[in-house]
Amino acid sequence: DVQQWYDNPVTTILKGEKLFSPPSNLWITKDALAKSNGHQYLATSHQVLQLEHHIKTYQSPYTDIRDQLRRIEHKLLTEHSGFLIGNQCVDFQKQDGVTEMEESIMANQVERSLNDLLLEDELNGKLTINRKPIYVSCVSNFTNFLDLFRKTIRNMELGIPCVVLGRSNTVQHSYRWTELLTELLKEENIDPGMITYLSCTLEDIVKITTGCKEATGMLYTTSSRDLARTIKSGYPNTVASTGGPNTLLTTEWTTGVKDALRMSAAIECAGQCTALRHAVVPDGITAKDAEAMFDDTNA
């Protein structure tokens, strides 16, 4: 239903409630091809002040909510997987949201184990986890995997509040997973202040992030190198994953190596962020050898 994103606009979400704005703050959202695909209410100046107050004063009541978040994670990957894939497809025009969910399932298993070890070390007095609110700057294509699971759920299960930043385009699908996550948190009786969504202009997002620096933790972004450099200049506590180079180094030219090279180089068919960009191979391997490696690859 293409009308749904017009009738249910993107809004700021604060403490589980949607903050609607006057008609003058209602904007048209754009998909990856710059086509109109919905409505968005941008936060008013008063709402920006509310957001700043919440971010500066909110104290997480949790240190470990793994059980609740992992039940939510299971629902997202089963009951709601079609919803997530479909929204991304419509907004980003991406062809392979299924692969992204498969990668999420595999990566989540590893990253959950890392969090288990982290909490064990905290319990044993080896470290203290900083539970100041963190910012999640959403990417346009891999937001279900990188932003929803890796950045938001993994931090939140450690008791870290998450503030999801709106986008200037392809904003719809990242907002929709935030909206869904907010409802799933309520079902688990998790304090709604743990998740916040900033439906704001870029200027207001910069104002909030720079103005609340003393009260917040890391900002996580997946972006171009130029954008990462710009973000970090205003918010030094930024962890940025930037595009490539995804490089494989091998000392052998075996069937297994060639299979891995071919699969990684051809994944998603269009050089997306998980695709191989460089391979360092043994002396004597020629361009003809590389071409032959792809001879039986189907388009």
Side-chain angles (χ1 to χ4, degrees):
D1 182 0
V2 296
Q3 189 61 33
Q4 194 173 67
W5 287 355
Y6 290 92
D7 295 340
N8 179 20
V10 174
T11 68
T12 289
I13 299 176
L14 177 61
K15 292 185 283 189
E17 302 296 326
K18 296 179 181 180
L19 304 186
F20 294 99
S21 307
S24 58
N25 280 45
L26 185 64
W27 292 76
I28 299 289
T29 60
K30 304 289 186 180
D31 66 15
L33 302 179
K35 294 180 180 178
S36 301
N37 69 346
H39 281 148
Q40 176 180 14
Y41 280 111
L42 294 175
T44 64
S45 56
H46 175 66
Q47 290 167 350
V48 169
L49 292 175
Q50 289 179 279
L51 290 164
E52 288 178 319
H53 176 75
H54 175 71
I55 293 168
K56 286 178 179 178
T57 61
Y58 185 75
Q59 298 291 318
S60 171
Y62 308 108
T63 57
D64 179 3
I65 45 176
R66 283 175 291 175
D67 289 345
Q68 297 94 316
L69 267 294
R70 291 178 189 185
R71 283 196 294 268
I72 289 173
E73 184 174 67
H74 178 73
K75 289 181 180 178
L76 290 168
L77 288 166
T78 54
E79 299 172 32
H80 303 292
S81 59
F83 173 82
L84 296 172
I85 293 168
N87 285 344
Q88 187 191 60
C89 234
V90 171
D91 202 18
F92 184 64
Q93 308 293 318
K94 184 177 176 178
Q95 299 299 308
D96 196 12
V98 176
T99 295
E100 180 191 5
M101 300 302 278
E102 292 172 342
E103 291 179 356
S104 297
I105 291 168
M106 291 184 283
N108 290 349
Q109 183 174 348
V110 175
E111 291 163 11
R112 283 195 297 263
S113 298
L114 292 173
N115 269 2
D116 294 342
L117 293 171
L118 189 63
L119 282 168
E120 183 180 341
D121 280 351
E122 183 178 51
L123 190 64
N124 292 329
K126 295 181 179 179
L127 53 83
T128 301
I129 297 171
N130 184 339
R131 291 184 171 86
K132 292 180 178 181
I134 60 103
Y135 295 108
V136 177
S137 177
C138 293
V139 69
S140 60
N141 57 347
F142 253 50
T143 188
N144 293 327
F145 172 17
L146 300 177
D147 303 321
L148 171 55
F149 295 110
R150 173 170 291 171
K151 297 173 189 172
T152 303
I153 287 181
R154 290 285 78 79
N155 274 286
M156 197 177 293
E157 70 177 6
L158 300 175
I160 301 171
C162 297
V163 181
V164 182
L165 306 181
R167 293 178 48 83
S168 58
N169 60 52
T170 58
V171 68
Q172 287 284 351
H173 63 297
S174 54
Y175 170 76
R176 300 299 160 186
W177 67 246
T178 309
E179 183 183 40
L180 173 59
L181 179 58
T182 301
E183 295 306 311
L184 294 174
L185 289 170
K186 290 178 182 177
E187 291 178 9
E188 290 285 348
N189 296 313
I190 300 297
D191 189 287
M194 290 292 290
I195 186 79
T196 304
Y197 186 86
L198 304 190
S199 178
C200 302
T201 64
L202 178 58
E203 291 76 14
D204 282 336
I205 288 176
V206 171
K207 178 178 182 291
I208 291 169
T209 54
T210 55
C212 300
K213 266 192 280 195
E214 297 303 314
T216 52
M218 304 305 294
L219 186 155
Y220 297 95
T221 184
T222 306
S223 65
S224 68
R225 293 176 185 274
D226 287 343
L227 179 56
R229 189 177 295 111
T230 300
I231 294 171
K232 198 170 181 67
S233 68
Y235 197 87
N237 289 338
T238 294
V239 175
S241 172
T242 57
N246 294 345
T247 303
L248 183 144
L249 173 64
T250 179
T251 59
E252 300 177 342
W253 190 250
T254 63
T255 299
V257 166
K258 288 185 283 186
D259 286 345
L261 286 168
R262 182 172 65 248
M263 178 180 289
S264 185
I267 193 170
E268 300 179 33
C269 305
Q272 293 291 349
C273 64
T274 53
L276 184 73
R277 285 161 169 85
H278 304 88
V280 180
V281 298
D283 286 342
I285 303 303
T286 66
K288 286 186 178 181
D289 293 321
E291 290 173 9
M293 182 174 65
F294 293 98
D295 282 348
D296 61 349
T297 301
N298 296 321

